[in-house]
Structures are given as C-alpha cells and as structure tokens.
Amino acid sequence: MELITQENLEKTRKWLRAIFFIGMILFILLVISIIGFVAYGKLTGPPPLAVPQTTIYYAYDGETIIGKSVQNGENRYWMPLSEISENVINATIAIEDRKFYDHFGFDIKRIFGAVIADLKAMAKVQGASTITQQYARNLFLEHDKTWKRKIEEALYTIRLETNYSKDEILEGYLNTIYYGHGAYGIEAAANYYFNKHASELDLHEAAMLAGIPKAPSYYSPFANEQKAKTRQKIVLQSMAQSGMITEAEANEAFEKPIEYNNDKKMATKKIAPYFQDAVKTALRDIVKLDERTIELGGLRVYTTLDPEAQEKAETHIKNIINPESEIEVALMAMEPHTGKVRALVGGRDYEKSPFNRVTQAERMPGSTFKPFLYYTALAHGFTPSTVMRSEPMTFTYDEGRAVYRPDNFNNYYANDFITMAQALALSDNIYAVKTHMFLGIEKLIETAKLLGITSELDAVPSLALGTSTVKMIDMVKAYGTIANGGVRVNPVFIEKVENHKGEVIYEYKSEHEQILDPALAFVTAHLMTGMFDTKLNSYTSVTGQSIANKLTRLYAGKSGTTTTDSWMIGFTPQLVTGVWIGYDRDKTLDIVAERTYAKRIWADFMEDVLQNKPFIPFKAPKGTVPVYIDPTNGLLATSGCKNARLTYYVEGTEPTEYCTVHLPNHADEHKEEKPGNEENADKTWFDKLFNWW
C-alpha cells in the first residue's frame, strides 16, 4: 500500500514539475511578448493623428452635391480633458470601457466574455472594443472588416498605449468621436444638443450624449427620443454599477426633463437632403460601412441624383402647396429600366422634420393599389372587356361573420355593367371589390408581395381599395416593374464608391428579374392610360380628367385618395414618379384643393422634367394584340362607334363579337344615350398619342 502511494506521489510530483515548467515557458513568452509589444510601440513611435477627410457626394452628371469646400457642415473643437465635465468622462468610461485605466489597451476578460456570448447566440451580440481600440479605429480611416485591418488596428492600439498617457488617449477619443448630425467631439455635441460647453454638462445630459456614439442614427434624441431615453437609462445604470453614482442619483437623472437646443442647425446641405439620407442608409446597409467612415472616410460617392430633376420637383411642390398649410409631401422619381432614383423629396422642410416620408412612412395607398389587383385578374382569366355590374352592394367575408359595404366616390354608380377598362379609369370601387372577392383575397396579397410591397397586408375585402399601409418607395418600385414589362429592378441610389485612395470599393451591378408575365404587364400598363382618356367616361369622369389637358405625351398611371392620403403614381417608358400628400398626424384632407395637390404636382413635374426628352413609345411585346373596341361594352367597334378606343389584349383573349349598339338601325333608339358624344367624336390628343403604341 505504501509502495503504491509512493509511486502516485512521484507521478504527482512529475506532473507538477511539468506544469510548472510549461507555466514558466508561457510566462516567459508572455513577458517577451509584452516587452516586444512595448518595444514595437516605442520604436515605431506615436501614430500620426490622421486628419479626417470629408466624404464627397456626386450627382449622376459628376457635379458635386456635397463636400469639398462645404466640409459637410460639421463642427469640430478640441477641448482639453480638464475642460470636459466629469459627468461626461464617467458616463463614457462606464458605458464604453469600465476598466479603461486598468488595462493596457485590450480587455482580455471582456474579449473572452464577448466570444462566449457570441458563440451562445451564434451571432455577434456583444462588443469588446476598449476606448483605446475605438480611438485607434477612428485614426485609421479604412474600416473594412478584414483580418489585415484588425491586425493594423491592434498595432495602432499598442502604439497609442505605449506612447500616450491614459488621459491623453481619453482626451483624443472624446474629441474625435461622432455624436450624430455632423457633431464630432464632445464640445460640438454639447453645443449642438444643449447649447452648452462640454464643461457645463449635467449628469442627465452627459448620460444622454454618452449613449449616442454606439449608433448615432438610432440613439440621437433628434432621430428617436424614445430609443435615446432607453440608451440613457443603460448609461446611468452602468455608472451606478461602477460606483460612480448611486442608484438614487441614476433614477433622479433619468427622470429629469431634458431641455434641448431649439436653435440647432442641421448639418445637411440644401441639395436634396432627404436623398442624401437615403444614400447614407444605402452606404450602411448595402456597402456595409460604419457611420464614421461614411462621414470622414474621404469617400467619393457617385449617386444617381439628377440635380435638375430634383430642383424641378422641389419647385413644383413649393409653387402648388399652400405655404401656410402644415400638409406634408413625398415625391420619388425613378428610371423604370435601371432603378436609378433621379429625384426624391421626403418632406417640405428637412430642418423642421428630417423624417423621410418616401422611405420611412407607411400610408394607405387608396386606389393606387388597384393596378396590382387588375394584373392579378388578367392572370386569372379576366380581360379589359370583362364586364360586371357596378351598384351598391354588401360583401360578406370571414366565413359569413363579417360584412363590408364599399362606396364609390360621391356615391356615383353606373347601376349597369361596366368593363374592367372603365373600372380602372373611373376607379370604380364596387368592380374592384367584386374582382378581389372573386379571385380570393390571398391572390392580391401574393401579387403585391411579388411586386416588392414589404408592409403587412390585411386579408380583407377592403384591401382592393388600398386600406393597408405601404411605403412610397415600394409603390414606385412596383409601378416601375409594370412599366418595365414585368422586370423587377430595385431602387438604386449609388452608382459607385471610391475610398480616400481612389480605389473602387463598391460598384452597382444591375440585377434584373422577370417576375411578371410581359404580355400581362403591358396590358395592365395600357389599362392605366385610361385614367386620362375621356372616352372611358360613363356615370362619372375619368380620374385624371382634371390634369389631362396639361399632358403632352402618353402616360400610364393611377391616383388614389383616402380620408387622410392623396396619391398619384404614373409613368412613361423613361420615368416613373410617385407623389403623396397628407398630414403626419392622420389629419383628414378636408380642403378640396388639398386632394388635388398630388395630381397637379405629378403632372407639372413629369411634363417639366420630360420636356426636352424624346417621345419614346410603349412597345407591345409578343403575345399581345391591339383592337379597337367600344369602351362602353368592350365589344369590337364598328364604324358607328364614334368613341372607339384602341385596347390591347393578351393574344387569344381579345373580343370576337362586334358592337351592335351603334349600327344604323339602332341610331334613333340610342340617339340620346350619352350626351356629349358629338363633341367626343372629334379626334383628341389622346387619339393622336395612340399612334405610338
């Protein structure tokens, strides 16, 4: 027994000696590494403090939108640490790097903790960068996520730690970090948000500012005050946990009202500010750049903006909308075959409201949703000549548990059969809901999603009338797909991005996908020209009649009106444009003139921007046939049909029966059928335009 114990003890001693030996080797290697890192830092010297380079944005014609001498409008000041509020210093250390004064630039324990958290979540959920690492990243302009960049950033961190004191590093960090809205450094941020100096910031203000750099576009109180307050609370809790303040002080600071600077100057330039924001979003989401690189990476960003079209859009909006009104506007113009966005207006005054109503707002589209319904109908056996009766009626749904009774505008009904072509031109709601219910509610949702509508859509009868909210950018994209023969092209804001060395780091590559049947898409587009054609007048006027006399070329489009929203979206082969009018707080459109703004802005803009452009015809694809029909019944026109209208059909679905209503032996019987036929008999601009199809 003693022999066995002795052998075990000897084995234990050997293991201990081996472990001690390995430990000594690792310790020596660690010491050598530390000495090597320190020696590297000292030998290479302090890293140069790189001067941030302003990013320059170019329009599609090469003209500068923003940058160069403008310097992006940002404010920068350098304040010594002694002139920065202790509240700011403590708040920043608490939320960014609690062990800042204890580590040598890398928080090993925090790094391992972040790795474990990421492995558990199978995603990157926790950061581990110290203040020194972040400062190194700010000094190092290239923010590409490569191992080469990470290694160089680590070497910068070592050089900072070995050549500067902790206070010097913290001072540099606080003077270069980005706080949003063009404010770089704590002094600029204090001035911008609170009209104060950095030395004057109270605890609740310091905690608010310390939370912003993590994601300025999300945590700025001017972008989203609720998110900013949530972030402020996290900062205060971190300070309490670190022993910098008490729980009571944290709660008191969180509850204390914040008085913001009401005279703040937005850093965005006058040229297309909402478009600029859309470009920056694309730089983040598509090019995958961080905000500091976007603002100060010395980038050259070549955008799709047409400054002339943008100016015309803003001018027509200003000329048409009552300057005393609080009504808001959104406009987006895009080339349907390329997806390149040429003009974008997200609101009437960016400085008062940077909220982009093109890309961010969701509003009810009203009857502008109907083209999606009628494409779906065409795909399921309907034709432009399909007739249904328009009269007041009630629809049951949800297995008979619910009812829906739609109304036509001003309660005008044909009380007779009308064609699909008339239903779209006149925006007949009864025909639309009948079609929707006949097809099955899910069919319209499938088509809308296929066309790129990203919002949630309610599976109800009223969806045919556009009662689910959508984004304008999605609607313009969907109309562009119809205009493009069913080929989907996503909206494009950026052509190319170069880094500060002139190297191309991103270039747009066109992606086209045929998602609609070309023949059906063309027939749908042709149906949409009807809103401007008075031949389709029946019990009420076509919806585009009020602006038809302004138009000098053939357009396809659709308007839509709800109690709170007014839309007009339309296109030629060269350009698709959407206009929305409404109030931000869901105030109703009670003034008649307000409901005309969208159509008038759209018509004036399209005519103006296309004025010197060639008249490009819509080209009918294979599988479609043109025939002249009597628009009142959808039958083939005879010589007696004075209002015969050229209409396109998918081959094999065109009508084969001739209209007999206007034959000579019926002339007396229908003599007073529709007043105004003699006047309409003369050729109009619309008749002449059809020569292009």
Side-chain angles (χ1 to χ4, degrees), residues 145-423:
K145 296 181 180 180
T146 62
W147 283 108
K148 178 177 178 291
R149 198 274 296 163
K150 290 179 182 294
I151 292 170
E152 290 177 317
E153 180 186 301
L155 295 176
Y156 257 64
T157 301
I158 293 168
R159 292 173 66 187
L160 284 171
E161 285 283 341
T162 53
N163 289 281
Y164 295 102
S165 69
K166 286 288 188 179
D167 283 352
E168 288 175 320
I169 293 171
L170 183 59
E171 179 180 303
Y173 174 83
L174 288 170
N175 279 287
T176 57
I177 199 70
Y178 182 52
Y179 289 91
H181 305 288
Y184 290 86
I186 189 62
E187 177 70 8
N191 180 269
Y192 178 78
Y193 287 99
F194 304 117
N195 197 24
K196 286 186 173 184
H197 292 294
S199 60
E200 301 171 336
L201 292 170
D202 294 328
L203 176 59
H204 65 303
E205 297 164 335
M208 176 63 75
L209 292 183
I212 294 175
K214 180 179 175 67
S217 60
Y218 293 100
Y219 295 123
S220 161
F222 296 148
N224 191 316
E225 190 168 11
Q226 184 177 354
K227 287 182 180 177
K229 285 294 290 181
T230 300
R231 180 73 175 156
Q232 179 202 36
K233 188 172 186 177
I234 294 172
V235 174
L236 290 167
Q237 289 172 341
S238 297
M239 294 179 73
Q241 292 167 5
S242 301
M244 298 172 177
I245 58 175
T246 65
E247 288 286 349
E249 288 173 326
N251 293 332
E252 182 183 353
F254 180 72
E255 296 296 335
K256 189 172 183 179
I258 297 181
E259 295 182 10
Y260 295 109
N261 176 19
N262 293 324
D263 296 324
K264 61 184 183 298
K265 300 296 183 184
M266 303 302 287
T268 308
K269 299 295 111 211
K270 293 181 180 179
I271 301 175
Y274 294 99
F275 180 89
Q276 289 180 35
D277 279 357
V279 170
K280 290 176 182 178
T281 298
L283 287 171
R284 286 195 300 269
D285 297 343
I286 298 174
V287 190
K288 305 299 182 183
L289 299 176
D290 61 82
E291 291 199 43
R292 181 177 173 82
T293 303
I294 292 171
E295 298 293 340
L296 292 177
L299 305 175
R300 300 294 183 267
V301 182
Y302 297 88
T303 76
T304 60
L305 183 73
D306 180 346
E308 186 177 349
Q310 179 70 28
E311 183 180 1
K312 288 177 178 179
E314 294 173 359
T315 298
H316 290 302
I317 288 170
K318 184 177 180 181
N319 291 343
I320 289 174
I321 296 179
N322 182 351
E324 303 299 321
S325 173
E326 295 181 356
I327 205 166
E328 275 298 348
V329 64
L331 180 150
M332 176 176 163
M334 181 185 85
E335 291 179 355
H337 61 289
T338 65
K340 294 176 182 178
V341 178
R342 297 308 190 189
L344 187 148
V345 179
R348 291 176 65 191
D349 190 329
Y350 184 87
E351 291 195 4
K352 290 182 179 178
S353 173
F355 181 69
N356 193 328
R357 294 157 187 84
V358 170
T359 60
Q360 294 176 285
E362 293 194 2
R363 306 292 299 219
M364 287 191 290
S367 292
T368 57
F369 215 66
K370 289 177 180 175
F372 311 156
L373 171 68
Y374 292 128
Y375 172 86
T376 309
L378 290 170
H380 288 81
F382 282 59
T383 79
S385 292
T386 298
V387 294
M388 285 194 288
R389 191 172 178 84
S390 171
E391 60 188 354
M393 67 178 298
T394 300
F395 298 87
T396 60
Y397 65 104
D398 193 18
E399 297 182 349
R401 290 189 292 268
V403 296
Y404 175 60
R405 185 180 177 86
D407 296 314
N408 274 351
F409 180 69
N410 284 338
N411 288 314
Y412 289 150
Y413 303 92
N415 290 311
D416 200 349
F417 289 95
I418 62 173
T419 65
M420 180 193 284
Q422 285 181 307

Side-chain angles (χ1 to χ4, degrees), residues 8 101 108 113 123 302 479 512 549 672:
N8 287 340
Y101 281 101
I108 303 300
Y302 297 88
Y479 271 59
H512 296 76
N549 62 344
E672 298 181 3

